[in-house]
Amino acid sequence: MSFRRTCCFISAFAAVVLLSSLIAAHPAWATDYSQVVKAKISSVTTKSMVVKWSVPSGMTQGKTTLYQVKGNKKKKLKVFGSNVNSCKVKHLKKGKTYKFLVVAKSAAGKKFTSQVVTSKTASARKSKNAAKVSFASAKLSLKELQHMRISAKARTKSGKSPFDRKVTYYSSNEKIARVTAAGEVTAVAAGKCRIYCVAYNGVASFAELTVSQGVLVLGYHGVATPEEKRTLYPNERFTISTTTFEQQIKRLHDKGYRSLTCEEFYRWQTGKAKLPKRSVLITFDDGRYSAVKNAPAILDKYGMKSTWFVIGKRSMESLAFDPNRYTATVDDLRGMKDAHPSCELQGHSYGLHDVDQAGNHLIFSKTQAQVEEDCVLLNLFAQQFGTDHFPFYAYPYGSDPVWYQKGVAASGVKMAFDYGSDQLASQLDSRWSVKRVGVRTTTTNKIFDSFVR
């Protein structure tokens, strides 16, 4: 092979590799779709079509090159000056599909590449190409770390499905939200961005997405030493070891999390105060003796506040002489508060965290009036700790029927917590159904870290 032919072969191979990278790589507009070349095909006939493009806002446009794409190969059609933003491609075949790519250079020589746009020449009077793309909703909302599947549809001018139904999704700012090409949106951080939907021929539309701040509210139950876990709670998935607990609290500390009281969280959730991005409310349910005995010292070590939702009747009936008692006594709770002032007590019902003879949760068999009666007893129990009532409440078994919510609200409670699908709490939540992330023995480091930013 001659030297000249060898050079030509290398140049051709390099061009194919370059085009392949342009088409296959995640394009530059994945971060900000408003800052890229946007190409679109219009005015399609049986023998021609017009390729239009617009350069990023604020870009001083230099030369622009239009390519025709065939597989992994491209053919340069024409180079344009800075004032040209469209080209009519002629001498095409009737009913055939064509693909194009636009590469624009700024005056400073920086390249901006469009997506590959596709269209089909007409085979009849009416075009079968997409003329518009529409979202089901023009406004979307998520809270941090939440997911959503969105969909948009491409339609012809007459409202029918185009010959190619494919649409692709992009985010205008991946620091706020990411979206897969198939439309799976993940909220990353609080803020606003746009989610664009682009049809195969470049026709596009967008929806406004608002991501609200999320706050991590952790829900613990038992915390036992490794020996206690092995001998007393081997199969108890709601009791974790002190080793695991300290790893998690240290992780929060090292990441710079600020712990909250319920009142601080309440003021934020109701829009009366702002919180740092890394904020956490650490809660414990049931007033279990293992947690009362083992967790506060670890929390103090890392400067963390905590909230303890206690069950009045169980603490009143707990036996102080039993070293392995399941529920902390009233004296245990008083001792914890005195030794660890950053631990606050709140309510988890007086006697409704229990089951009937058939094993059914009592909360589902009680009326609103009976819930209010239980809250009266809970407030009497609260007086043993120097307060006339507990203003914050965690529902027994993490459940919150509407009538139960009404009973709690009528009893002077300001906010109530439940469980459900683990997710960050948000100002989008009802204050009568605040979401928590439950920590269990099945909560691996990977799962825990998925909520820690």
Side-chain angles (χ1 to χ4, degrees):
M1 183 181 291
S2 68
F3 177 75
R4 178 178 293 180
R5 291 178 64 188
T6 301
C7 289
C8 291
F9 174 78
I10 292 173
S11 298
F13 178 75
V16 171
V17 171
L18 173 62
L19 180 63
S20 298
S21 66
L22 288 173
I23 296 173
H26 201 44
W29 27 268
T31 298
D32 190 344
Y33 184 65
S34 66
Q35 294 299 305
V36 301
V37 175
K38 291 186 281 294
K40 181 174 70 172
I41 298 175
S42 63
S43 304
V44 178
T45 70
T46 56
K47 294 183 179 181
S48 68
M49 57 185 65
V50 176
V51 182
K52 297 181 178 181
W53 59 88
S54 60
V55 298
S57 175
M59 169 186 168
T60 303
Q61 189 175 353
K63 292 183 178 180
T64 300
T65 306
L66 175 64
Y67 295 92
Q68 183 178 347
V69 178
K70 292 183 178 181
N72 283 333
K73 296 181 180 180
K74 66 176 181 177
K75 176 184 177 182
K76 184 187 293 185
L77 296 183
K78 198 169 183 179
V79 179
F80 304 92
S82 59
N83 296 323
V84 180
N85 292 91
S86 67
C87 175
K88 186 174 184 178
V89 184
K90 302 178 182 179
H91 309 299
L92 304 179
K93 294 182 180 181
K94 180 179 178 180
K96 296 294 183 181
T97 301
Y98 293 89
K99 297 182 179 182
F100 301 95
L101 179 74
V102 180
V103 179
K105 276 189 178 181
S106 69
K110 184 178 179 181
K111 284 186 177 181
F112 294 85
T113 304
S114 76
Q115 73 274 31
V116 174
V117 288
T118 306
S119 192
K120 191 174 186 178
T121 51
S123 56
R125 285 186 178 181
K126 293 184 179 179
S127 171
K128 293 185 178 180
N129 287 296
K132 60 182 178 181
V133 179
S134 59
F135 280 95
S137 175
K139 292 189 179 296
L140 308 172
S141 62
L142 286 173
K143 53 187 178 181
E144 288 181 279
L145 304 189
Q146 198 172 24
H147 302 270
M148 172 191 290
R149 187 66 179 262
I150 60 174
S151 63
K153 293 182 179 180
R155 289 287 184 261
T156 64
K157 190 174 182 179
S158 62
K160 296 182 180 180
S161 296
F163 82 91
D164 187 342
R165 297 182 182 183
K166 181 182 178 182
V167 293
T168 308
Y169 302 89
Y170 306 104
S171 171
S172 69
N173 189 340
E174 289 199 326
K175 292 182 179 179
I176 301 298
R178 294 190 298 267
V179 59
T180 66
E184 186 72 31
V185 182
T186 300
V188 177
K192 294 184 177 182
C193 67
R194 289 178 173 180
I195 303 299
Y196 286 87
C197 177
V198 184
Y200 62 93
N201 60 349
V203 173
S205 65
F206 63 84
E208 299 281 1
L209 172 64
T210 300
V211 178
S212 62
Q213 181 183 5
V215 170
L216 178 59
V217 183
L218 293 171
Y220 290 95
H221 288 78
V223 181
T225 65
E227 177 63 17
E228 290 169 342
K229 176 64 179 170
R230 184 181 65 83
T231 57
L232 300 176
Y233 313 104
N235 300 314
E236 169 58 84
R237 67 190 183 98
F238 290 104
T239 297
I240 64 172
S241 71
T242 50
T243 303
T244 298
F245 181 68
E246 181 162 5
Q247 288 174 347
Q248 293 174 352
I249 299 303
K250 183 178 185 301
R251 177 69 168 154
L252 295 172
H253 172 271
D254 292 348
K255 277 285 189 176
Y257 271 76
R258 176 196 165 195
S259 60
L260 307 172
T261 64
C262 274
E263 181 62 29
E264 289 173 322
F265 176 85
Y266 168 76
R267 288 183 57 77
W268 167 80
Q269 207 273 342
T270 53
K272 298 175 183 177
K274 294 183 178 180
L275 291 178
K277 177 180 178 180
R278 293 183 173 90
S279 298
V280 61
L281 177 62
I282 302 172
T283 70
F284 294 82
D285 282 6
D286 303 346
R288 299 191 184 191
Y289 182 57
S290 65
V292 168
K293 182 175 64 171
N294 297 313
I298 296 173
L299 291 164
D300 284 354
K301 179 178 177 180
Y302 295 98
M304 295 290 182
K305 304 169 187 174
S306 57
T307 297
W308 299 71
F309 294 111
V310 296
I311 305 167
K313 185 178 180 181
R314 288 192 185 181
S315 289
M316 292 291 288
E317 296 177 351
S318 183
L319 302 176
F321 61 80
D322 181 2
N324 297 325
R325 52 191 176 276
Y326 191 75
T327 303
T329 65
V330 172
D331 286 340
D332 291 331
L333 296 174
R334 285 201 192 103
M336 179 182 70
K337 278 180 56 64
D338 291 342
H340 308 279
S342 61
C343 297
E344 65 172 358
L345 300 182
Q346 299 296 342
H348 197 29
S349 83
Y350 181 79
L352 296 185
H353 200 305
D354 212 336
V355 295
D356 59 23
Q357 292 182 343
N360 300 313
H361 296 168
L362 287 182
I363 60 172
F364 295 110
S365 61
K366 301 298 181 182
T367 65
Q368 179 179 329
Q370 288 173 316
V371 172
E372 293 179 25
E373 291 172 4
D374 185 80
C375 287
V376 171
L377 296 176
L378 181 63
N379 291 339
L380 291 173
F381 174 74
Q383 293 174 14
Q384 300 189 62
F385 305 98
T387 182
D388 59 353
H389 76 293
F390 292 134
F392 301 99
Y393 193 94
Y395 298 107
Y397 301 104
S399 302
D400 56 346
V402 173
W403 52 264
Y404 199 106
Q405 290 185 21
K406 291 180 178 178
V408 169
S411 303
V413 172
K414 296 164 62 174
M415 173 178 279
F417 298 78
D418 65 8
Y419 287 105
S421 56
D422 291 342
Q423 55 185 281
L424 299 184
S426 163
Q427 291 175 331
L428 298 177
D429 292 336
S430 162
R431 65 187 174 104
W432 303 111
S433 187
V434 179
K435 306 305 178 188
R436 290 187 286 174
V437 174
V439 182
R440 311 166 184 86
T441 54
T442 53
T443 305
T444 63
N445 289 338
K446 183 177 180 180
I447 293 174
F448 189 83
D449 285 350
S450 70
F451 295 100
V452 177
R453 292 163 291 169

